[in-house]
Amino acid sequence: MNRTSAARSATATTSAMSMADLAAAMTVVVIWGLNFVAMKLALREFTPMQLGAARYAFAAMPLLLMIRRPALPLRWVAAYGLLQGLGQFGLLFMALRLGMTAGLASVLMQTQVFFTALMAFAFLGERLSRPMLGGLVFALAGLACFGIEVIAGCGTSADVTLAGLLLTIGAAGMWGASNILARHLQRHYPDYNPIQFVVWSSLAPVLPFLLLTWLVDGPSAQHQWMDASISAWAGAAYLGWFATVMAYGLWTGLLKRHPANQVAPFGLLVPVVGLLAGMLLLHESLSGWQLAGTAWIAAALVIILLAARGR
């Protein structure tokens, strides 16, 4: 398929989402919003590499024994698992450990919208509509509010480090790359099953995470597996079964049915849930800058969704 045909295909598949798809998108928003609290709590007892191995072990087992392999070449299944596992969550877990709050991480991860839109334009020929560009400007203004708070060291961001900030943005870039890979697979293998795909791709990062656990954490840290509490293991199970299998299964299904530029903006609601969950469950305070940033991001989503419904 040449570039012109790809652009026509992307335009043809753009449509307003059904109520079922909107419900799926909002379910993902809630799961991923609470996801950051689960990560922060689990990282009190696990190292980032240990949590990565535990998360994807839960995501792959026991479902791997009950779900057939997706009708895709294994190289694409493994590539998605490594992009999402080692790339997105490996970097994010390190960020949360080195200096990043759960609420702010949920916001900064939404730069995936920019990465997804730019990569979709560059590699898939998906056009950037005017409402999308307007929404991105609003979202950028919202993220700028959080950036100002971190850089200026004001508000509640004293515990956010530069390393944590850069690692989180890197994780968002990996999320954008996995979005594009999912959309690419939809074009070439339109009948693949999203749940099969997510479960089998979850197997790919387990061994690399275990290897990194041994190399990075060292043998002395291995006792943490046995000493971890039930709540830490419950957090890892939530990350594996709900935040990975269920949420990414729904998310990948949305990417199969709609252009990446139409699906990715739903992620802009995740920080709203993440900030509120951080306040209620982790007692993270919400500053004026964070309120302003959340308002800008909510406005961006409204612009994009209203434009999609109008089409």
Side-chain angles (χ1 to χ4, degrees):
M1 182 182 292
N2 59 34
R3 189 179 182 87
T4 302
S5 298
R8 288 175 179 171
S9 176
T11 302
T13 57
T14 301
S15 61
M17 288 186 175
S18 66
M19 292 303 297
D21 281 345
L22 288 173
M26 295 309 298
T27 299
V28 172
V29 166
V30 173
I31 291 175
W32 280 346
L34 296 175
N35 184 43
F36 294 91
V37 172
M39 293 179 199
K40 198 72 173 179
L41 292 174
L43 284 169
R44 292 177 179 176
E45 302 183 45
F46 291 126
T47 69
M49 299 301 106
Q50 287 174 338
L51 183 56
R55 173 186 184 135
Y56 285 96
F58 275 113
M61 301 298 291
L63 294 176
L64 194 70
L65 303 176
M66 299 180 286
I67 295 179
R68 292 189 305 172
R69 201 187 83 183
L72 291 168
L74 285 178
R75 67 180 184 276
W76 293 119
V77 178
Y80 184 86
L82 293 175
L83 277 174
Q84 186 203 85
L86 285 179
Q88 180 179 341
F89 288 102
L91 294 177
L92 180 57
F93 292 163
M94 287 192 291
L96 290 169
R97 190 68 176 262
L98 294 176
M100 177 59 58
T101 64
L104 188 56
S106 69
V107 174
L108 292 174
M109 283 299 292
Q110 302 323 308
T111 56
Q112 60 89 12
V113 174
F114 304 105
F115 289 111
T116 299
L118 292 175
M119 292 179 188
F121 174 77
F123 299 114
L124 303 180
E126 294 183 6
R127 301 179 62 181
L128 294 172
S129 66
R130 289 184 179 179
M132 172 61 71
L133 290 173
L136 291 177
V137 170
F138 274 63
L140 182 60
L143 293 176
C145 292
F146 294 98
I148 290 171
E149 184 177 52
V150 173
I151 294 171
C154 57
T156 61
S157 295
D159 56 345
V160 176
T161 65
L162 180 60
L165 180 64
L166 295 178
L167 285 168
T168 305
I169 293 175
M174 290 294 180
W175 185 0
S178 66
N179 285 341
I180 297 305
L181 178 56
R183 187 63 178 164
H184 168 78
L185 293 177
Q186 186 276 329
R187 290 187 173 183
H188 292 84
Y189 307 94
D191 297 325
Y192 80 88
N193 184 289
I195 297 297
Q196 293 175 344
F197 177 60
V198 171
V199 170
W200 278 79
S201 68
S202 296
L203 187 63
V206 174
L207 288 179
F209 268 128
L210 288 174
L211 179 60
L212 287 171
T213 294
W214 183 263
L215 295 176
V216 176
D217 301 332
S220 61
Q222 302 313 310
H223 70 276
Q224 293 177 237
W225 294 107
M226 301 302 297
D227 295 339
S229 66
I230 294 178
S231 62
W233 283 107
Y238 175 87
L239 295 175
W241 291 332
F242 291 93
T244 301
V245 176
M246 182 176 181
Y248 274 97
L250 292 172
W251 186 259
T252 305
L254 290 171
L255 287 168
K256 279 171 56 64
R257 296 186 293 275
H258 303 279
N261 286 339
Q262 192 174 354
V263 175
F266 278 94
L268 294 171
L269 273 180
V270 172
V272 178
V273 178
L275 285 169
L276 291 175
M279 292 172 60
L280 296 174
L281 302 176
L282 299 178
H283 307 294
E284 296 175 353
S285 58
L286 190 65
S287 69
W289 281 110
Q290 290 175 339
L291 283 171
T294 302
W296 279 108
I297 290 172
L301 184 60
V302 168
I303 289 173
I304 296 168
L305 291 183
L306 289 179
R309 298 299 295 179
R311 285 196 297 270

